[in-house]
Amino acid sequence: MLRLPTTAIRLCIYAILPRVTGVRVALGVDLGTGSVKVALVDEAGETLRSASQAYDLSSPHPGWAEADPMEWLHATTAAAGQVLDNGEGAGAMRVGFSGQMHGVVLCDESLDPVRPAITWADSRAGNEAADMQSALGPEVLARLGSPAVSGFAATSLRWIRVHEPEALVRARYALQPKDWLRARLGGMVATEPSDASGTLLANVDDGSWNDDAITWSGVDRDVLPPIIGSSDAAGEIHLAGKTFECVTGASDTAAAITGLGLSIGDGFTAVGSGSQTVSLVPRPTGGISHGTHLFATAGAPGSGWYRIGAVQNAGIALRQALTWLDATAEQANAALDQGVHPSDPLFVPYVAGERTPFVDPGLRGAWLGLGLDTSREAMLRSVVEGVAHAVALGIDAVLGAGAPLPDPLPLIGGGSVDARFRQLIADASGRRLAPRDQPDAAVVGAAFLALGVTAPPASGADDVIEPQNSAHELLAARQQRLVEYVQQSHEQ
């Protein structure tokens, strides 16, 4: 009888793989918005073992989206312990990091947070964003790669300067989430081009800090870490009772690009807490257009870039609406079995403001067209439809900014695994989609950065989802109604 190896035996196998077969392994740590994933990955990109730990966002006031960095630390330690079995068989692996972009952790000299982290989903700094847009102007913002929006480090720091100046007095560093985690585990205080480019404090073309933006934010330059390469050595960290060498890492999207093996001309749409449509571009040009952003890829400063439509409201809106309706995601997707009806209410998914394409932190969600005859099933169906429209509008924004997207368009992310939802995205966007079963792209990319390898080019799609003409026509009309509602709200 064939028996699978026990955990201890598997870990021993992982430890001796480099010596016996020449296969190297690394540990990837992906610090997401709602959970952290730790994975043991080999140089072929196979996830040998992984574990996740969840944590919560808090919203003590409308529009706020904060997190306790110490919960990130505890969750990472717990997940790593599951993967490494308290460090047994860990070998001489290196560790790479990826993480949620834009947020900021203010911490003291000992790397203890002086206040909760402000995350990318936070919309409190709308006034600060408007002031930054006006004060710095289009030329400086084009160098920063983004319109001035709430939830980025620059606008969050300016808000703190105005409303909580004592926090800045106590702070020694202002760090991106994954950079704080790496440093708190014992690594260097540093960042790298992909995360720096998402702060609105750095020049996206050459990966240097921008003095105009720093001055506007009201912080001292020395609270910002040095910018080094994504695969550069970043000291040693301590996890699961072991000491590991680590590299700087990359933002989640840049790490996913690395994990997917993409190059100039490639792109994808990812659906998770938010949705990102990405196009890799040859030069840092194009300015700010259609609410999209230009960010740096993983690597050395000034070595690569991508255009992105960053939609805040995908899974985060779905989860909130399901809470209101006391429903599950499966129940919502099952409601799609009958297709979207013309009489269904229209769900406006912007419960946390929005970046692409509307650039309005004050946007809020709504249901349009509710009546006495509206069923719970129709409301559930409308929630999933509204998220699909948000994803589709992100795709349109990237194309409208002049960045090419492949046909079919790869679709990745843990939020896009249901076949009914995938079809709905194809119908809402009118684009052919090629689902890729790579929900771990970011954590694999983090491990690749630690290994110093790149993924092989992606093979052609086996499964292509074609948009259905009749469904697309109905959804296009409903999507236009959603856009008109948002534009009217934006003008008020």
Side-chain angles (χ1 to χ4, degrees):
M1 176 188 237
L2 179 63
R3 293 183 179 177
L4 295 175
T6 66
T7 296
I9 293 174
R10 287 198 305 269
L11 286 170
C12 290
I13 291 171
Y14 303 155
I16 66 173
L17 273 174
R19 297 193 294 272
V20 176
T21 67
V23 175
R24 297 183 299 146
V25 295
L27 201 66
V29 177
D30 178 34
L31 184 68
T33 306
S35 66
V36 63
K37 174 170 279 189
V38 178
L40 193 64
V41 179
D42 68 19
E43 58 190 345
E46 181 180 355
T47 299
L48 306 175
R49 198 170 182 208
S50 67
S52 297
Q53 289 284 326
Y55 35 74
D56 294 324
L57 287 178
S58 66
S59 184
H61 302 283
W64 290 30
E66 297 186 333
D68 180 357
M70 296 306 292
E71 289 189 6
W72 300 341
L73 179 67
H74 299 324
T76 302
T77 301
Q82 294 176 45
V83 172
L84 298 170
D85 267 11
N86 297 320
E88 292 181 22
M93 290 184 302
R94 301 178 86 195
V95 180
F97 291 83
S98 67
Q100 53 179 295
M101 296 179 71
H102 313 310
V104 63
V105 181
L106 280 181
C107 55
D108 62 20
E109 187 74 41
S110 299
L111 299 171
D112 292 329
V114 303
R115 70 170 322 282
I118 299 179
T119 72
W120 61 269
D122 195 283
S123 60
R124 78 185 70 181
N127 291 336
E128 286 74 17
D131 183 80
M132 185 180 195
Q133 191 80 23
S134 174
L136 297 189
E139 184 174 339
V140 172
L141 290 171
R143 288 210 71 193
L144 300 176
S146 297
V149 293
S150 187
F152 278 43
T155 49
S156 295
L157 288 170
R158 176 66 175 250
W159 185 94
I160 293 171
R161 166 61 69 189
V162 173
H163 298 278
E164 300 178 3
E166 69 283 356
L168 283 178
V169 173
R170 295 166 55 204
R172 173 61 185 86
Y173 300 110
L175 301 177
Q176 296 297 103
K178 71 99 171 52
D179 295 322
W180 174 83
L181 177 64
R182 185 194 60 251
R184 190 64 170 75
L185 288 168
M188 286 175 53
V189 173
T191 192
E192 42 71 47
S194 66
D195 247 345
S197 67
T199 61
L200 275 172
L201 293 167
N203 299 310
V204 70
D205 54 354
D206 63 7
S208 61
W209 293 121
N210 182 287
D211 289 333
D212 291 331
I214 293 170
T215 299
W216 175 87
S217 72
V219 300
D220 295 330
R221 176 146 183 176
D222 63 2
V223 305
L224 301 176
I227 302 173
I228 61 178
S230 303
S231 290
D232 286 357
E236 293 181 340
I237 64 167
H238 309 287
L239 262 181
K242 285 282 188 178
T243 299
F244 301 92
E245 293 182 354
C246 69
V247 300
T248 325
S251 68
D252 50 4
T253 302
I257 290 170
T258 300
L260 293 168
L262 304 185
S263 57
I264 292 171
D266 291 333
F268 63 86
T269 290
V271 182
S273 294
S275 173
Q276 302 82 36
T277 293
V278 170
S279 172
L280 274 77
V281 295
R283 291 173 297 277
T285 57
I288 299 167
S289 179
H290 291 74
T292 62
H293 310 264
L294 184 70
F295 295 137
T297 55
S303 63
W305 306 271
Y306 62 95
R307 175 76 58 181
I308 182 171
V311 175
Q312 291 187 190
N313 294 272
I316 197 170
L318 176 65
R319 287 192 297 271
Q320 185 60 55
L322 293 180
T323 298
W324 293 331
L325 296 172
D326 191 23
T328 66
E330 175 53 35
Q331 288 173 330
N333 285 320
L336 293 174
D337 287 338
Q338 300 177 18
V340 175
H341 298 178
S343 60
D344 282 350
L346 186 63
F347 179 62
V348 180
Y350 302 117
V351 297
E354 193 47 270
R355 284 161 53 188
T356 303
F358 301 111
V359 194
D360 185 353
L363 282 181
R364 291 295 179 263
W367 263 290
L368 309 180
L370 291 175
L372 293 175
D373 59 342
T374 299
S375 67
R376 181 172 182 270
E377 184 178 57
M379 294 183 72
L380 287 171
R381 190 164 51 238
S382 73
V383 170
V384 186
E385 179 202 1
V387 173
H389 285 314
V391 175
L393 289 169
I395 295 171
D396 289 346
V398 171
L399 292 169
L405 290 172
D407 180 26
L409 178 64
L411 180 66
I412 68 170
S416 62
V417 296
D418 188 274
R420 295 160 294 194
F421 183 48
R422 290 172 171 176
Q423 183 65 58
L424 187 61
I425 296 174
D427 295 341
S429 65
R431 293 191 63 84
R432 301 195 313 152
L433 302 177
R436 293 181 61 176
D437 187 19
Q438 293 177 290
D440 295 338
V443 76
V444 169
F448 278 175
L449 291 172
L451 289 167
V453 302
T454 56
S459 58
D462 296 324
D463 180 24
V464 175
I465 300 174
E466 301 281 349
Q468 300 171 349
N469 289 335
S470 59
H472 176 60
E473 291 176 3
L474 171 62
L475 292 171
R478 289 171 64 84
Q479 187 178 113
Q480 182 58 36
R481 182 181 166 203
L482 183 152
V483 170
E484 290 173 355
Y485 170 83
V486 171
Q487 289 175 337
Q488 292 171 2
S489 301
H490 188 72
E491 292 169 358
Q492 292 176 355

